[in-house]
Structure formats: structure tokens, C-alpha cells
Amino acid sequence: RQDMIMSEKEIMERRIRLKRKKMLNTPIHLSSQQEETIRELLYGHRKTFDLEFYRFSSFRPMDRNIFAVRGSSPSGPASSDVSSLSTSARLHGRPETPQTQGGENARRGCVFTALPHVTDLATCMIHDIIAFSKSLTDFKSLLIGDQIALLKGATFEVMEIRFNMVFNTKTGLWECGHATYCIEDAVRAGFQPLFLEPLLKFHHTLRNLGLEEEEYVLMQALSLFSPDRPGVQQHSVIDKIHENLALALKTRIELKRTGPEKHMLYPKVLSCLTEMRTMNEEYSKQVLQIQDIQPNVIPPLLMEM
């Protein structure tokens, strides 16, 4: 036999090669548990997210102006455009003119007229994300305190993943059925470039990955079941759920995708999840700033999330 005349090191190397060859020849497949997980995620997602946004019909109307609080004419053109122009110029890489440089100084004297509509939209999205989470067996099995901690940490991220499904990279618009939103609408709601610039880049990056619905829902679940959220107690339990979800996503990509780019898709998805964690922190800071400037508009639920 060949093994009898080979050194111990050579035998070990040969066994490793045979094992690798066997792994390469073994068909990739999703386990029954992974398939059931994806089915449950899809069912919960489809029940709580409507690509046509039919349920979003009773919002306060979108007002695409910014009016100054101070000054004799709140509706005057000079006061309505300055903050929007300043932020828009920076978002689109245009140099600021003397007219736009005053935007940041004028910001604290502005009423964010799009804020009521944006908060209504976000509140509805939050209710849907809570319903989605409560539809998941693993989520319902957790302590109530951990459920709250996970939702507080992940709601913004899951919301952006869902909004990405309706993002048009050619126009830079979010096409939400009967309503269409642009990045300037977030400006009119009081958000600033430090948050909006990476947000817009994120949506282009993620949408260009061409994710399928199954991959989007697994991404939502990975964000939701993050064991390192503040206040989480069942770290090991949630970490195991997160690990299983990550493996399901990786396996599905390897199984369903074709072409050499498929090997980079999984790490790119993880990179997008990491990027959202950074944006989440800045989003929370800016929500507090907006609340300070224009109080009594942002509802408590949105402040908590």
C-alpha cells in the first residue's frame, strides 16, 4: 500500500487533499432547517412589507419646503431655500456659494416641513418591523428584555434594508408605490450630510449587489439577531441564531448564484451590515438634534428606536 511507504506528513497532506476533493464534489444544499428558516422569514416579511406601499395612505402630506422661523416672511423665497441648497450642494459634490454657506447657520432657525410626513412613514415602518420580528419563532423564544433590546438596535437598519428594495440606482429615488422620495426629502426633515452622504452611498452599494428577496430577508434577520446590542442578556443564544442565519445566507448564495462574483457577494453583504451599524449611531444623534430644534413632532416610538 502507498500509505506504508509515505511519511506521516505526506499521509496527512494526502488525507487533506482527499477531504478537500470530497468537499468540492459534494453537492451544496440547504438543510431542512435552513429552508424552513427562509420560508418563515419570507412569510413574515411579505405580511409586513408591501413593495407598493398601499397601506401608507393616511400620512400627513409631504411639504417640500423649509421655512425660517425667524424673519418677517416665513414663506419668502430667501428663507425657504437656503438650508436645502447648502445640504444639496454638498450631497452632489458642488462647491458652496456664498448663498449656500449660510445654510448651516440658518438651520436652527428652520422648520423642517417634511418632518411630519417622514415621521409618519417611519412610524408605520417601525410597526411593521415589530410585527415581522414577532412572527419569528426564534425571536418569540427570547426574553422580553432581549426582544426590546434587539428591536431598539436593529429597527433603523431593517428599515433601510427594506427601503433599499425600492431604491432606483439610476434616478437616486425611493419608489414607494404612489409616493417617490429623494435624498432632499431627508434634508427637509432635518437630517444633515454627515448622515445622508453615507446613507445614499450605502443604498447605491447594496442595490447594485442585485440581492434576491431571500437574501434581503436573511440580511434583515442578521441585523435583528445581533448579540452585541446594548442590553442583551442571552448573548450565546442570539449568537447561535446569528451564526445559523449567516450560514444559511452563505449557503444559499453558493447554491443559487452563478459566476465568479458570487464568491464576493457574501462578504459584501456583511460589509453593508457593518456600514449600517456606523450610520445607525449617527442617525440616533441626528434624531435627537432634530427633536431639540423642532420638538413635539417626533413620536416617542421613533425616539426609542
Side-chain angles (χ1 to χ4, degrees):
R1 290 180 55 191
Q2 187 178 1
D3 287 0
M4 297 178 65
I5 58 175
M6 295 174 68
S7 68
E8 186 176 344
K9 180 180 179 181
E10 289 173 329
I11 292 172
M12 184 62 68
E13 289 175 347
R14 181 169 178 265
R15 288 175 179 172
I16 291 173
R17 287 196 301 270
L18 290 172
K19 186 177 180 180
R20 286 177 179 171
K21 184 177 180 181
K22 183 179 179 181
M23 289 176 65
L24 289 172
N25 293 332
T26 302
I28 299 172
H29 68 279
L30 289 164
S31 68
S32 58
Q33 182 181 359
Q34 289 172 333
E35 289 178 341
E36 177 57 34
T37 296
I38 294 173
R39 280 195 296 268
E40 183 183 48
L41 289 170
L42 281 173
Y43 180 76
H45 172 76
R46 289 169 180 171
K47 281 194 69 176
T48 60
F49 182 64
D50 170 25
L51 284 170
E52 296 299 323
F53 285 70
Y54 287 125
R55 292 194 300 274
F56 301 152
S57 58
S58 58
F59 295 160
R60 285 169 285 184
M62 170 66 80
D63 187 342
R64 288 186 163 96
N65 289 306
I66 297 182
F67 297 137
V69 175
R70 303 181 186 89
S72 57
S73 178
S75 59
S79 61
S80 65
D81 294 337
V82 63
S83 182
S84 177
L85 282 172
S86 176
T87 310
S88 180
R90 281 176 283 177
L91 282 171
H92 292 87
R94 298 193 298 269
E96 289 188 346
T97 64
Q99 181 184 9
T100 64
Q101 287 172 354
E104 200 62 33
N105 294 331
R107 184 175 177 273
R108 282 192 164 268
C110 288
V111 174
F112 304 124
T113 54
L115 187 59
H117 180 91
V118 170
T119 56
D120 286 349
L121 178 61
T123 300
C124 286
M125 292 287 285
I126 290 171
H127 283 299
D128 286 345
I129 291 167
I130 292 172
F132 166 70
S133 303
K134 288 184 174 180
S135 73
L136 306 178
T137 303
D138 285 333
F139 186 83
K140 290 185 290 187
S141 71
L142 299 174
L143 297 171
I144 294 298
D146 280 356
Q147 292 181 18
I148 294 171
L150 293 183
L151 279 169
K152 283 185 175 181
T155 296
F156 162 77
E157 297 169 16
V158 176
M159 190 187 310
E160 293 307 322
I161 294 170
R162 290 185 165 201
F163 273 128
N164 190 255
M165 298 179 75
V166 296
F167 183 67
N168 187 324
T169 56
K170 293 181 179 179
T171 62
L173 300 176
W174 288 266
E175 298 170 347
C176 304
H178 59 280
T180 301
Y181 301 99
C182 61
I183 196 69
E184 281 79 9
D185 290 329
V187 175
R188 298 179 187 99
F191 291 98
Q192 303 174 64
L194 189 60
F195 166 64
L196 296 179
E197 288 174 350
L199 178 70
L200 189 59
K201 181 181 177 182
F202 162 81
H203 276 285
H204 278 281
T205 300
L206 180 58
R207 193 61 173 158
N208 283 329
L209 295 182
L211 298 186
E212 298 175 356
E213 187 180 20
E214 291 84 355
E215 292 154 355
Y216 268 117
V217 296
L218 282 165
M219 192 178 180
Q220 290 178 54
L222 281 169
S223 174
L224 178 63
F225 292 101
S226 295
D228 58 343
R229 302 292 188 188
V232 164
Q233 298 179 39
Q234 296 174 285
H235 289 276
S236 59
V237 174
I238 298 170
D239 186 56
K240 184 63 177 177
I241 296 170
H242 189 274
E243 182 182 326
N244 291 338
L245 289 165
L247 183 58
L249 175 60
K250 188 173 187 294
T251 303
R252 192 189 184 281
I253 289 172
E254 292 175 353
L255 179 64
K256 300 293 184 180
R257 295 288 181 150
T258 58
E261 69 279 358
K262 79 173 186 178
H263 299 296
M264 293 303 298
L265 182 56
Y266 177 70
K268 285 180 178 179
V269 170
L270 296 186
S271 177
C272 286
L273 285 167
T274 302
E275 179 66 22
M276 278 198 300
R277 294 295 288 265
T278 303
M279 290 191 296
N280 199 346
E281 295 178 9
E282 184 59 32
Y283 166 78
S284 298
K285 292 177 184 177
Q286 293 201 15
V287 167
L288 291 174
Q289 292 170 357
I290 294 168
Q291 170 70 4
D292 180 53
I293 295 168
Q294 191 166 327
N296 305 320
V297 176
I298 302 177
L301 179 64
L302 192 56
M303 294 296 297
E304 290 176 8
M305 297 298 179

